[in-house]
Amino acid sequence: MSAGQLRSLQYRFHALEETRRALYQNPGWAQSPQFSEVNRSLRQMGLPLPKQPGAAASRQEKETFRQNLDDLLYRESQVLGQIIQKKPRPKTPAKLLVPSLEKLLKNQLASAKKEGEMFLQKSPVFSWGTPHYDEIRVQPWAIGQNPKDPRYISPEIMHRISQHAQLPMQDFFAAILQEEQLSPRQKQTLISAIYQASDLLTYPFVQIYTSVFKTIPSLSFDAAVVPGDETRALQQYAIALQKVLLTKLQQKGFWSEADFEAFAEASVYLPPQKARAVLGAVTYLEPSSARWLLDTPLEDPASQKILAQIKLYRQKKDAIWPDGEIRPKFSAGINFARLRQMRLKALQARAALLQERYEKLVSHFMLISETCLNSLKSIESGKDLSQQFSDDALSQYISLSSSKTRAQHLIELTYHQMQLLQKELGKYQRP
């Protein structure tokens, strides 16, 4: 082979490997409109690619296409690797080529929620995404059409609740819990619905929607897409209720029998280990310790210190309180205000790093996008040149397109991490 022929095969090998990497990181790319041009370019290079299924194709047809595509690319990489003495990446297990439909949903929302205000100016009912694949529909939330239904919430109460939508999430929950005309079941259902919508649409989106349309947004998906985790939504209800009761205990110094029952009942929605820790803290220590455990992972050093104190007082309770009445509560000996501030600074530093990474990734993505566009122009302008030039240009375009997809995937992952961190920051930015 001449040097030019060897270089062409190296370009081709790199293009195939980049495509395989992109499919591994984001299998759903194979169904996106962005892949159509790559698909066409691979065909122009002589690869007998399977036909790309349309948006209305079944889930099985799409999974079969991805598997056949990956098999073909791997075999071609193996052959080229033997010629140019390069080893292709290992074959991707079939189960990893099935995209997480929940992840597809989140990715779709990540791009669509930026246009949320535009949607909200038009109608409370709208949708985005690819029909029969990752389409998401948003409409007003409705629980109970019949006033006799125990889940029914009247428009008047819903309108009053919506006036608190601009508060931070936990404060919004607290306002709902203090609404006297709602039953415990209604409060639980409402808070769970808000949290599930916020988990997918983000809380700021829910705030805007609720403020504008005086109701909570609800989401519906294509049949194959899994909705939000109801368990986590109920945990948020439990945390909100227990925080309201802890504030009452701090302010009044005592609970009624109903307060005790409500606190204990809410514990069933928390993970067992966390529920036991919080109940132990409220039994033996001041309410601030229980609040810390609700907000902070049990693995945190301060949480571990609190758990050690709970264990100690539980073992000595008969000697400390011989009559069985556990009063007064002990102090955890922790400056919670200072700890919260220290944790807030650490979270803010992490947020700043993620923001910097996000901006660099976006800049890198824009650069690749521009280079990819120039590569397409080069292919068009070089049609009358040699076959080797055309093959090299196609290989470079495929490599760039695949790198662009990978960069976009990293952007979405980083953005998701930033969203989770903002939720965590929200716990420590309030007094």
Side-chain angles (χ1 to χ4, degrees):
M1 283 187 296
S2 67
Q5 290 172 324
L6 179 61
R7 185 178 63 249
S8 291
L9 292 180
Q10 290 171 337
Y11 284 157
R12 187 184 180 101
F13 178 83
H14 182 68
L16 294 172
E17 288 298 287
E18 284 296 298
T19 305
R20 294 182 61 226
R21 284 190 181 94
L23 285 170
Y24 168 76
Q25 287 188 338
N26 182 16
W29 176 49
Q31 262 68 60
S32 68
Q34 292 79 11
F35 184 73
S36 299
E37 190 63 42
V38 174
N39 191 10
R40 192 178 301 113
S41 298
L42 288 167
R43 285 174 176 275
Q44 285 182 259
M45 287 172 58
L47 288 177
L49 262 64
K51 184 180 179 181
Q52 186 179 10
S58 69
R59 185 179 177 185
Q60 184 59 48
E61 287 176 309
K62 293 170 183 176
E63 289 178 7
T64 301
F65 168 72
R66 284 191 295 271
Q67 186 61 63
N68 291 341
L69 174 63
D70 186 71
D71 289 344
L72 176 64
L73 294 175
Y74 178 65
R75 289 196 301 270
E76 185 73 8
S77 283
Q78 276 188 313
V79 172
L80 284 174
Q82 291 173 355
I83 297 172
I84 63 175
Q85 298 183 350
K86 283 192 175 182
K87 191 174 180 181
R89 58 181 284 110
K91 191 167 187 334
T92 306
K95 63 180 181 180
L96 296 182
L97 288 173
V98 180
S100 163
L101 291 169
E102 188 172 1
K103 186 187 292 185
L104 281 174
L105 172 64
K106 286 183 179 294
N107 290 346
Q108 188 68 16
L109 287 166
S111 59
K113 66 182 168 235
K114 298 172 186 176
E115 305 171 22
E117 291 189 36
M118 178 190 73
F119 285 120
L120 295 174
Q121 291 170 3
K122 297 179 179 179
S123 166
V125 180
F126 50 85
S127 65
W128 60 81
T130 306
H132 310 294
Y133 182 57
D134 62 354
E135 185 178 25
I136 301 155
R137 295 170 292 278
V138 178
Q139 58 194 20
W141 173 74
I143 290 191
Q145 301 296 324
N146 186 345
K148 294 182 180 179
D149 189 325
R151 299 173 299 172
Y152 174 78
I153 298 175
S154 70
E156 294 77 19
I157 295 177
M158 199 67 235
H159 188 278
R160 186 162 65 245
I161 288 170
S162 67
Q163 294 174 350
H164 303 290
Q166 292 308 313
L167 294 172
M169 182 183 283
Q170 288 297 325
D171 292 337
F172 190 17
F173 289 170
I176 293 169
L177 290 166
Q178 291 164 2
E179 176 57 59
E180 295 180 355
Q181 293 191 37
L182 289 177
S183 68
R185 182 176 178 181
Q186 288 173 318
K187 293 174 182 178
Q188 176 179 311
T189 305
L190 187 56
I191 287 174
S192 297
I194 292 170
Y195 183 79
Q196 286 198 46
S198 300
D199 194 35
L200 297 171
L201 286 162
T202 75
Y203 183 58
F205 188 102
V206 174
Q207 286 179 298
I208 296 171
Y209 190 101
T210 305
S211 297
V212 172
F213 299 116
K214 310 305 178 188
T215 187
I216 308 301
S218 69
L219 285 80
S220 58
F221 322 103
D222 284 331
V225 180
V226 181
D229 187 347
E230 186 178 355
T231 301
R232 289 173 56 205
L234 290 173
Q235 286 177 13
Q236 289 302 310
Y237 161 75
I239 290 170
L241 177 57
Q242 290 191 337
K243 282 185 175 181
V244 168
L245 292 170
L246 287 170
T247 300
K248 181 178 180 180
L249 184 61
Q250 277 183 312
Q251 292 173 347
K252 294 189 175 182
F254 64 90
W255 272 346
S256 66
E257 190 65 30
D259 293 333
F260 275 109
E261 290 180 8
F263 195 91
E265 287 174 3
S267 296
V268 303
Y269 298 118
L270 297 177
Q273 191 176 3
K274 195 165 190 93
R276 287 193 295 270
V278 174
L279 286 170
V282 82
T283 301
Y284 300 104
L285 301 173
E286 292 177 343
S288 54
S289 297
R291 181 179 284 274
W292 176 268
L293 292 177
L294 282 172
D295 278 340
T296 313
L298 297 183
E299 297 76 20
D300 182 83
S303 299
Q304 287 295 309
K305 182 178 179 181
I306 292 171
L307 294 176
Q309 289 176 312
I310 293 170
K311 184 178 180 181
L312 176 66
Y313 294 139
R314 184 180 284 120
Q315 291 171 345
K316 296 183 176 181
K317 65 178 180 180
D318 292 334
I320 301 172
W321 300 287
D323 59 354
E325 186 179 359
I326 305 177
R327 293 190 68 179
K329 307 293 185 185
F330 283 98
S331 168
I334 296 173
N335 186 336
F336 286 110
R338 183 169 177 272
L339 263 182
R340 291 174 75 88
Q341 193 61 31
M342 289 171 62
R343 186 168 176 82
L344 177 61
K345 286 183 178 179
L347 290 171
Q348 287 172 333
R350 171 69 175 157
L353 284 173
L354 282 176
Q355 181 65 36
E356 183 180 350
R357 180 186 302 171
Y358 180 77
E359 290 172 359
K360 286 181 179 178
L361 283 169
V362 170
S363 177
H364 178 62
F365 176 80
M366 297 300 291
L367 180 61
I368 293 180
S369 298
E370 184 179 353
T371 310
C372 199
L373 186 61
N374 292 336
S375 178
L376 265 181
K377 292 178 181 177
S378 174
I379 292 172
E380 289 297 317
S381 62
K383 281 183 176 179
D384 297 330
L385 299 178
S386 68
Q387 182 63 41
Q388 183 174 319
F389 174 86
S390 297
D391 288 347
D392 291 353
L394 284 170
S395 296
Q396 290 176 13
Y397 169 74
I398 293 167
S399 298
L400 287 166
S401 296
S402 302
S403 296
K404 178 181 170 183
T405 297
R406 293 175 61 202
Q408 185 174 8
H409 180 69
L410 290 173
I411 287 172
E412 289 165 351
L413 286 178
T414 305
Y415 184 83
H416 182 57
Q417 290 175 341
M418 290 167 66
Q419 293 291 103
L420 292 176
L421 191 57
Q422 285 303 317
K423 285 186 181 180
E424 187 74 9
L425 275 167
K427 297 177 184 178
Y428 296 94
Q429 289 174 328
R430 299 167 58 245

